[in-house]
Amino acid sequence: MGLLEGCKGLVFGIANDRSIACHIAQAVLQEKAVCGFPHLPGEKNERRVRKALEGIGVTDPWLLPCDVSKDEDLDAVFASVRERFDAIDFVVHSLAFADRAYLKPGRFAETPREVFAQALDISAYSLVAIAQRAKAMMPRNGSILAMTYFGAEKAVPGYNVMGVAKAALEACTRYLALELGESGIRVNTISAGPIKTLSAMAVGGIDEIFEWVAKKAPLRRNIHAGEVGKTAVYLLSDLSGGVTGQNVFVDAGYNIVGL
Ligand code: NAD
């Protein structure tokens, strides 16, 4: 019997086999959940997502093209979900975007208005847009989970506008938790340590961050994406039934170090 047996949900954010969302998908499928996979539209994207899912044993995935900056795409995803399921139990939001030209140490103050607005829209507002649609499909409790990073709390060189977007995402999580709690819906974030993915590689100076964490984190290493997957199972399942509005660090303890 799996911890998520009988649970249905959506995992947003698989780009390829390195994506944190792919590792979360693997972990929730192992616990017997049934999932759909909304992904950035485009033939090339779809091919990569399909290949990533094949790699974790999903041969006939339920793929849902969706650019989260478009309300019509989100509406179409939830209309498809409604056709297939009477209700869902969880949603994983594992996506973000900011123009990489401004993810370089020393360039935050130069961020143009449209770069700022796009980063906040795709990386933070999308959680609100997803939650407002998911709520109607979660009549019997539910769990919504988003991915964040330490750069929301502290100024990490190069993380720049994405740090501002993650701060907004974490605040959205608390406000959503407060409002959706009366419907039995929990909303939490995982703050993951650095992991080598497409998005991470867009951050200038990321290699130094990996080296620094491996030296300074209490566990003296970087984390594995599979560790995020396991924590996701905890936050999506009844194991965390009393937990909402929280940010759970999966970062080898790096965030507690003050020196
Ligand atoms: P990734 O590049 O594999 O995933 C990012 C995803 O965002 C991709 O699937 C991409 O298609 C999607 N995306 C971007 N714009 C979109 C849009 N408009 N509509 C729909 N989808 C869109 O990288 P990842 O590291 O797996 O990132 C997943 C999440 O984890 C992000 O929120 C990221 O900020 C967060 N995170 C990553 C790290 C890390 O070190 N990799 C650490 C902490 C948090």
Side-chain angles (χ1 to χ4, degrees):
M1 161 121 184
L3 286 166
L4 293 167
E5 190 140 6
C7 291
K8 303 178 185 94
L10 294 174
V11 178
F12 282 77
I14 299 181
N16 58 31
D17 58 350
R18 292 188 161 209
S19 296
I20 293 174
C22 190
H23 291 268
I24 294 177
Q26 183 170 26
V28 301
L29 292 170
Q30 246 161 29
E31 295 300 334
K32 310 269 187 265
V34 174
C35 302
F37 304 100
H39 64 88
L40 200 60
E43 248 176 65
K44 217 157 125 191
N45 293 330
E46 185 185 318
R47 257 203 316 277
R48 287 199 189 117
V49 177
R50 215 174 262 288
K51 195 166 161 221
L53 284 163
E54 261 170 34
I56 59 168
V58 185
T59 46
D60 185 20
W62 184 28
L63 299 184
L64 298 146
C66 177
D67 179 338
V68 297
S69 67
K70 296 184 176 154
D71 282 333
E72 60 274 24
D73 282 18
L74 286 165
D75 288 338
V77 164
F78 281 90
S80 305
V81 173
R82 224 169 289 117
E83 274 172 24
R84 191 177 279 225
F85 301 141
D86 55 341
I88 56 172
D89 304 278
F90 66 86
V91 177
V92 175
H93 175 287
S94 184
L95 60 95
F97 180 82
D99 183 340
R100 64 187 299 161
Y102 296 92
L103 300 180
K104 293 191 169 46
R107 292 212 69 189
F108 176 67
E110 295 167 25
T111 312
R113 188 184 298 273
E114 62 279 9
V115 168
F116 189 98
Q118 185 188 38
L120 273 279
D121 181 31
I122 295 177
S123 314
Y125 175 71
S126 61
L127 180 67
V128 181
I130 287 170
Q132 66 193 212
R133 290 165 174 82
K135 182 178 178 240
M137 294 217 58
M138 290 180 158
R140 50 163 199 248
N141 303 337
S143 177
I144 298 175
L145 172 64
M147 295 301 309
T148 187
Y149 175 61
F150 187 55
E153 295 182 18
K154 303 289 176 193
V156 175
Y159 203 59
N160 300 8
V161 67
M162 189 52 80
V164 179
K166 291 301 190 191
L169 180 78
E170 291 179 15
C172 290
T173 299
R174 288 185 288 273
Y175 279 95
L176 288 168
L178 181 64
E179 288 190 6
L180 304 189
E182 65 182 3
S183 309
I185 300 170
R186 301 181 295 109
V187 191
N188 294 289
T189 48
I190 291 176
S191 186
I195 297 172
K196 288 192 178 166
T197 63
L198 272 182
S199 295
M201 293 334 227
V203 177
I206 187 74
D207 288 335
E208 275 172 63
I209 296 179
F210 282 115
E211 279 172 31
W212 185 257
V213 170
K215 269 196 220 139
K216 304 294 179 188
L219 295 180
R220 307 294 194 281
R221 64 170 175 84
N222 282 285
I223 61 156
H224 313 294
E227 292 170 322
V228 177
K230 287 181 190 164
T231 302
V233 167
Y234 157 70
L235 286 169
L236 297 176
S237 71
D238 283 349
L239 288 180
S240 61
V243 179
T244 193
Q246 301 302 308
N247 184 25
V248 178
F249 281 92
V250 181
D251 68 343
Y254 181 76
N255 73 96
I256 63 152
V257 178
L259 193 66

